[in-house]
Amino acid sequence: MAPVVAAGNSSAWDRVGFWSPNTASVDWCESNYAVSFYIAEFWNTISNVVCILAATLAYFSFPGTERRFQFLFATFGLVGLGSTLFHGTLRHKMQLLDELPMLYSATMILFILVEAKYGPRGKWFPIVLAAWIATTTFIFSITGGQLQFYTFQSTYTALQFGMIYLLRVLHVQQRSIHGPNPAVSMLIRRAFASGFFAITIWLIDLRLCEWINGVGPRSLLKWNPQLHAWWHVFSACALYHATMIIIFYHFDVHGQRPYVDQVCGYIPVIRLLKPKGKLIR
């Protein structure tokens, strides 16, 4: 099964490599095997280290032991690992290891936000979500080509809009109770700015590849800026900051006094304050 969603016509300059032929449903703008015979998309592959580092930091800085968050951080790490395998091989099975953890993490975020806003929903809610995960896993495992690509994109986008809506509702609710929180506002600005930039360059890389690939006759650039690799960097940044907001409001609605701390003066993490003002790390 050859890729049917290609970023422009960059495939004309692709090389044959260790994992050839490609069987993924999408091929990005980076020329294949241009750097290494063993790595299909070199820069798209190594850029995933940012996602893995962000997931690791979130896991070890989380001020608690709740399994829902442990599972969430684990799926974030799997997204980075799966994306590494996907871009390194451009094989369909490796693509699933990239996309399915994205859906799992988005579903877990939905679960956390719904319960933060409306309280525990009972046993039926996680059962429904588990059935949803099983269904999407089955569908994406047996489909390919355009159907698989656009079904995944629409499903994941819908989950992201659900996350944004619930975060907005929680933000307005808690702000009306406690007043403005400059630290949380900073998290929101960073999440929005990095997310908007990430989506913009993702679309440019997918839709305008022939104008920016650095190798074609229509390219306006003499070198490829590797926008999909930068998408990995900025989307990981956006997701990390959004996760910090989710953690903050999860504890805030339970009256546990969350606090935005800064690692190295810039990287935000969530801490909890004890009744006497001692910081829980």
Side-chain angles (χ1 to χ4, degrees), residues 42-58:
F42 181 82
W43 298 109
N44 288 350
T45 299
I46 66 171
S47 58
N48 284 292
V49 68
V50 178
C51 181
I52 296 173
L53 289 175
T56 302
L57 177 60

Side-chain angles (χ1 to χ4, degrees), residues 128-244:
V128 169
L129 292 181
W132 153 260
I133 288 176
T135 302
T136 53
T137 300
F138 175 74
I139 292 175
F140 292 126
S141 297
I142 64 173
T143 57
Q146 279 191 322
L147 176 62
Q148 192 273 339
F149 179 79
Y150 288 112
T151 301
F152 166 75
Q153 296 300 331
S154 59
T155 302
Y156 186 68
T157 300
L159 288 170
Q160 292 298 298
F161 276 116
M163 178 192 75
I164 293 171
Y165 170 76
L166 288 170
L167 276 177
R168 173 62 181 171
V169 170
L170 279 171
H171 176 68
V172 172
Q173 170 186 293
Q174 298 307 107
R175 181 168 179 163
S176 66
I177 297 173
H178 303 296
N181 187 318
V184 175
S185 298
M186 174 272 295
L187 293 177
I188 294 173
R189 288 193 300 269
R190 288 188 185 179
F192 178 81
S194 54
F196 181 81
F197 184 72
I199 292 172
T200 300
I201 60 177
W202 184 88
L203 290 171
I204 293 174
D205 183 81
L206 180 66
R207 299 301 181 187
L208 302 177
C209 178
E210 62 182 318
W211 304 101
I212 63 169
N213 59 24
V215 292
R218 293 187 178 184
S219 180
L220 301 177
L221 304 177
K222 294 183 179 181
W223 47 271
N224 191 328
Q226 308 299 345
L227 295 184
H228 193 80
W230 286 109
W231 143 263
H232 289 157
V233 174
F234 285 97
S235 63
C237 180
L239 187 58
Y240 178 82
H241 283 83
T243 302
M244 293 301 106

Side-chain angles (χ1 to χ4, degrees), residues 20-33:
S20 298
N22 303 339
T23 59
S25 64
V26 60
D27 194 353
W28 301 99
C29 192
E30 181 178 359
S31 296
N32 299 336
Y33 300 103

Side-chain angles (χ1 to χ4, degrees), residues 32-135:
N32 299 336
Y33 300 103
V35 176
S36 171
F37 176 77
Y38 297 98
I39 303 177
E41 296 175 342
F42 181 82
W43 298 109
N44 288 350
T45 299
I46 66 171
S47 58
N48 284 292
V49 68
V50 178
C51 181
I52 296 173
L53 289 175
T56 302
L57 177 60
Y59 183 90
F60 286 104
S61 66
F62 179 70
T65 58
E66 295 177 66
R67 290 186 177 181
R68 64 183 65 186
F69 283 100
Q70 291 177 344
F71 179 80
L72 177 61
F73 303 145
T75 56
F76 285 172
L78 286 176
V79 170
L81 178 60
S83 184
T84 298
L85 296 173
F86 165 44
H87 288 290
T89 65
L90 289 180
R91 307 293 293 181
H92 180 253
K93 290 183 179 180
M94 299 303 173
Q95 182 179 357
L96 295 178
L97 294 179
D98 174 26
E99 295 176 345
L100 288 176
M102 293 175 67
L103 292 177
Y104 299 161
S105 62
T107 303
M108 180 55 66
I109 287 174
L110 182 67
F111 171 73
I112 293 171
L113 289 176
V114 167
E115 293 213 332
K117 169 58 181 173
Y118 302 105
R121 298 288 86 194
K123 293 183 178 180
W124 66 268
F125 188 45
I127 291 175
V128 169
L129 292 181
W132 153 260
I133 288 176
T135 302

